[in-house]
Amino acid sequence: FPSHDSKVEQLKQDLADYKPNIIVLLGNNPFHYAKPGETVDNWHGSLFRCEMLNSPFYGFKCMATYCPSEVFRNYEWMPLLRLDLSRVFDEALTPELNLPQRHYELNLSAHQICERLRNLPPNQPIALDIEGYTHRITCLSIATDRYNGFIIPFGNFSVVEDAMLIEQLRITMARPDIPKILQNCIYDYFCLAFTWQIHLANIMFDTMLSGWEIYPELPKGLGTQTAIWTIS
């Protein structure tokens, strides 16, 4: 029988000859050759180009999803497998990898953050999410549209600057003319209100509840919602 290494080399040669537009990695075993140490649970449905030089998938557009044999033993994965494969049909038309170009501002000063909060336009939804819990909110992220966002890190600034940020957040988040989108909003709402008396006015919708209403059989976590509703 041929050795494992020779099988991998043969696969590399076959793919080089065939030049598929996309490679679907079914389960953790083939996915290991594209992203060692990662799991399909964290990457299913995501498009990427393999950058491992010694991988048989090097240079190809790839997407990982669950192995059908595993799905039959864990049938709750079936909707995720179906949704992942539906994305493949469109991506199989071209070898090009066209991912959204997103811009995240991670190192703004306290004054720059306050300026962005003051200048948020009316009637344009924002999405926000906290990290932490009551008495220990470490940061707040705000997406101003589907491609742009900025981070508010707490504890990185002086006490005076943190207080300035919290006061501006109280003003901005209480504006009823700014619709707000959250994941599991009752948690973020409670933490912000309990910790800093920040009121979130005009919550447009909760992605956790919206996703659950459409696919009630699937997990409601942010990772699942992102895998279904975004291209990454």
Side-chain angles (χ1 to χ4, degrees):
F1 295 98
S3 67
H4 176 77
D5 290 343
S6 65
K7 291 179 181 178
V8 172
E9 286 301 317
Q10 183 61 55
L11 174 59
K12 184 184 296 187
Q13 184 60 53
D14 291 343
L15 291 173
D17 293 340
Y18 184 68
K19 295 182 176 60
N21 287 341
I22 186 171
I23 297 174
V24 182
L25 306 172
L26 299 174
N28 284 315
N29 286 336
F31 186 51
H32 169 78
Y33 287 95
K35 288 189 176 292
E38 297 287 353
T39 65
V40 170
D41 285 332
N42 294 333
W43 277 86
H44 76 88
S46 294
L47 300 166
F48 64 94
R49 194 171 298 282
C50 181
E51 298 178 349
M52 286 195 61
L53 288 173
N54 61 343
S55 171
F57 313 124
Y58 174 72
F60 288 102
K61 181 170 65 174
C62 300
M63 190 193 76
T65 190
Y66 295 101
C67 178
S69 63
E70 296 172 341
V71 170
F72 286 125
R73 294 190 294 270
N74 300 278
Y75 205 71
E76 64 269 19
W77 292 344
M78 178 58 77
L80 296 175
L81 174 62
R82 187 175 66 248
L83 289 164
D84 291 345
L85 293 179
S86 67
R87 182 171 293 174
V88 173
F89 285 103
D90 293 332
E91 292 296 329
L93 299 176
T94 172
E96 300 301 322
L97 180 62
N98 297 311
L99 297 179
Q101 298 300 309
R102 298 187 175 98
H103 178 232
Y104 302 119
E105 297 181 290
L106 307 179
N107 299 301
L108 297 174
S109 69
H111 290 281
Q112 288 174 320
I113 293 171
C114 285
E115 180 183 7
R116 279 158 177 73
L117 290 171
R118 282 193 297 268
N119 295 330
L120 289 175
N123 303 315
Q124 180 173 317
I126 62 171
L128 59 139
D129 185 55
I130 69 166
E131 291 297 328
Y133 45 89
T134 56
H135 301 301
R136 184 72 175 115
I137 298 175
T138 57
C139 74
L140 170 65
S141 61
I142 297 178
T144 52
D145 56 48
R146 67 180 65 186
Y147 301 115
N148 297 282
F150 61 94
I151 304 295
I152 307 174
F154 298 104
N156 287 13
F157 306 116
S158 68
V159 173
V160 172
E161 288 174 324
D162 271 349
M164 177 179 67
L165 288 171
I166 292 168
E167 184 59 32
Q168 184 57 55
L169 280 169
R170 287 177 181 149
I171 296 170
T172 299
M173 294 304 155
R175 284 177 54 182
D177 63 334
I178 299 180
K180 300 166 185 72
I181 302 167
L182 296 96
Q183 164 81 9
N184 189 15
C185 72
I186 193 170
Y187 178 81
D188 294 58
Y189 188 104
F190 175 79
C191 289
L192 289 169
F194 184 88
T195 305
W196 292 323
Q197 296 77 55
I198 293 174
H199 166 61
L200 300 179
N202 191 6
I203 295 176
M204 185 177 181
F205 63 81
D206 185 333
T207 54
M208 183 183 77
L209 299 180
S210 300
W212 186 43
E213 290 169 354
I214 298 172
Y215 294 113
E217 72 275 26
L218 294 180
K220 301 187 291 292
L222 184 58
T224 301
Q225 303 305 322
T226 301
I228 294 173
W229 301 110
T230 67
I231 298 175
S232 58

